């Protein structure tokens, strides 16, 4: 009957009662349902709810829509979270964490004094819009979560230190273009060349020139003491590199020009 209403085959439909799938070959009386109780109906297209009738029949209820749960705490004002009836309790806890910054691992949820199991769905507990759920926090798990966050912060700091200081530098190309780059000074010259090639789509090989000296590819940038005002020249292999002094500046500026042909 339900399959006909939903216009699907019996194989495409699943009916559950308090999280337990109802078997095709078992009579409904075995599940000790009462009139007006809610069953969960799933098809390959959607999830709906049906209610039991007075003679074992069913009537189709509305499409399952997002609902808001009221989270009652022992201390403090109640909180609120929006979930889908098809969400598991574990997914609902993640939404609570996102909305109220409570570590998921420390969240405890109860309904009428009974702990909610993470693998059960919200709909399995018959919750509706506005249902009250008891929210408590496991203090031990909260401490562990804080310790984990502190350790993650320390690891991030160590990784940052390993990368070195981020430097802003200007690279002068043979075309006369000046391109700004940001890169960590613990990176090698080879790494920097790759960044330039990828960003500017340069296929030809080139050297980096700093203060008139060709940089070794295996050397870290920090060894060349590159600052934000240090000009870096991308000199194509085979070009003549000259160091000129701008007339309008007291700073030395590297320039790369292509060799001229002899006639």
């Amino acid at each position: 009957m339900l399959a006909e209403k939903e216009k699907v085959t019996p194989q495409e439909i699943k009916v559950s009662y308090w999280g337990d799938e109802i078997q095709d070959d078992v009579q409904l009386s075995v599940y000790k349902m009462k009139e007006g109780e809610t069953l969960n109906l799933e098809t390959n297209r959607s999830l709906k709810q049906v209610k039991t009738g007075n003679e074992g029949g069913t009537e189709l209820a509305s499409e399952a829509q997002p609902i808001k749960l009221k989270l009652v705490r022992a201390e403090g004002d109640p909180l609120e979270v929006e979930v889908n009836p098809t969400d598991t309790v574990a997914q609902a806890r993640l939404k609570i964490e996102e909305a109220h910054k409570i570590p998921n691992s420390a969240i405890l949820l109860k309904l009428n004094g009974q702990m909610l199991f993470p693998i059960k769905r919200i709909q399995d507990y018959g919750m509706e819009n506005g249902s009250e759920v008891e929210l408590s926090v496991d203090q031990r798990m909260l401490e562990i979560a804080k310790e984990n966050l502190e350790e993650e912060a320390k690891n991030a700091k160590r990784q940052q230190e390993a990368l070195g200081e981020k430097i802003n530098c200007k690279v002068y190309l043979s075309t006369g273009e000046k391109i700004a780059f940001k890169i960590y000074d613990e990176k090698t010259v080879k790494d920097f060349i790759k960044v330039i090639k990828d960003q500017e789509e340069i296929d030809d090989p080139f050297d980096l020139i700093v203060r008139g000296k060709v940089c070794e590819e295996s050397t870290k940038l920090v060894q060349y003491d590159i600052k934000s005002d240090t000009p870096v020249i991308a000199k194509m292999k085979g070009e003549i590199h000259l160091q000129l002094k701008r007339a309008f500046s007291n700073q030395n500026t590297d320039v790369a020009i292509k060799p001229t042909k002899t006639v």
Side-chain angles (χ1 to χ4, degrees), residues 8-208:
V8 294
T9 64
Q11 292 75 23
E12 294 177 302
I13 202 166
K14 174 185 173 181
V15 180
S16 60
Y17 176 63
W18 284 89
D20 295 323
E21 184 176 356
I22 295 177
Q23 303 300 317
D24 294 339
D25 55 351
V26 178
Q27 294 184 351
L28 294 179
S29 59
V30 173
Y31 295 95
K32 298 180 180 180
M33 297 180 198
K34 297 179 182 180
E35 181 180 351
E37 290 204 86
T38 300
L39 306 179
N40 297 311
L41 168 65
E42 292 182 66
T43 71
N44 61 338
R45 301 173 191 170
S46 64
L47 178 139
K48 297 183 179 180
Q49 294 182 330
V50 296
K51 293 185 178 295
T52 56
N54 55 3
E55 295 182 356
T58 59
E59 59 176 320
L60 193 62
S62 59
E63 290 275 358
Q65 298 293 329
I67 60 175
K68 290 184 178 181
L69 301 179
K70 188 177 181 180
L71 306 174
V72 181
R73 301 182 291 170
E75 298 180 1
D77 296 330
L79 303 176
E80 193 175 69
V81 66
E82 183 174 275
V83 298
N84 295 313
T86 53
D87 287 343
T88 63
V89 173
Q91 290 172 321
R93 282 165 44 175
L94 288 173
K95 291 182 177 181
I96 294 172
E97 178 180 38
E98 181 179 356
H100 302 292
K101 311 307 178 187
I102 304 172
N104 164 50
S105 58
I107 294 174
L108 299 175
L109 298 176
K110 293 182 180 180
L111 181 66
N112 299 325
Q114 298 297 316
M115 190 71 69
L116 303 186
F117 291 99
I119 61 173
K120 291 282 190 179
R121 296 184 182 186
I122 296 300
Q123 65 193 14
D124 296 337
Y125 290 100
M127 285 186 257
E128 300 176 347
N129 193 51
S131 291
E132 292 189 357
V133 180
E134 302 164 44
L135 168 65
S136 59
V137 177
D138 186 321
Q139 293 300 320
R140 176 55 187 153
M141 294 303 296
L142 182 62
E143 288 300 319
I144 292 175
K146 288 181 178 179
E147 291 172 4
N148 290 339
L149 286 175
E150 290 174 359
E151 187 60 31
E152 288 176 6
K154 289 179 182 178
N155 288 336
K157 185 178 180 179
R158 283 193 287 266
Q159 292 176 359
Q160 180 67 38
E161 291 173 349
L163 289 172
E165 181 182 351
K166 181 176 282 189
I167 54 176
N168 300 316
C169 62
K170 299 178 180 65
V171 176
Y172 295 81
L173 305 180
S174 298
T175 58
E177 294 179 272
K178 180 175 67 175
I179 311 295
F181 288 92
K182 292 182 180 181
I183 192 167
Y184 290 102
D185 60 7
E186 284 295 317
K187 294 289 186 180
T188 64
V189 172
K190 185 177 181 179
D191 295 329
F192 195 11
I193 289 175
K194 184 179 185 305
V195 170
I196 297 171
K197 280 188 171 183
D198 291 345
Q199 180 172 314
E200 299 303 314
E201 298 181 351
I202 300 173
D203 295 324
D204 297 328
F206 60 87
D207 293 317
L208 291 185

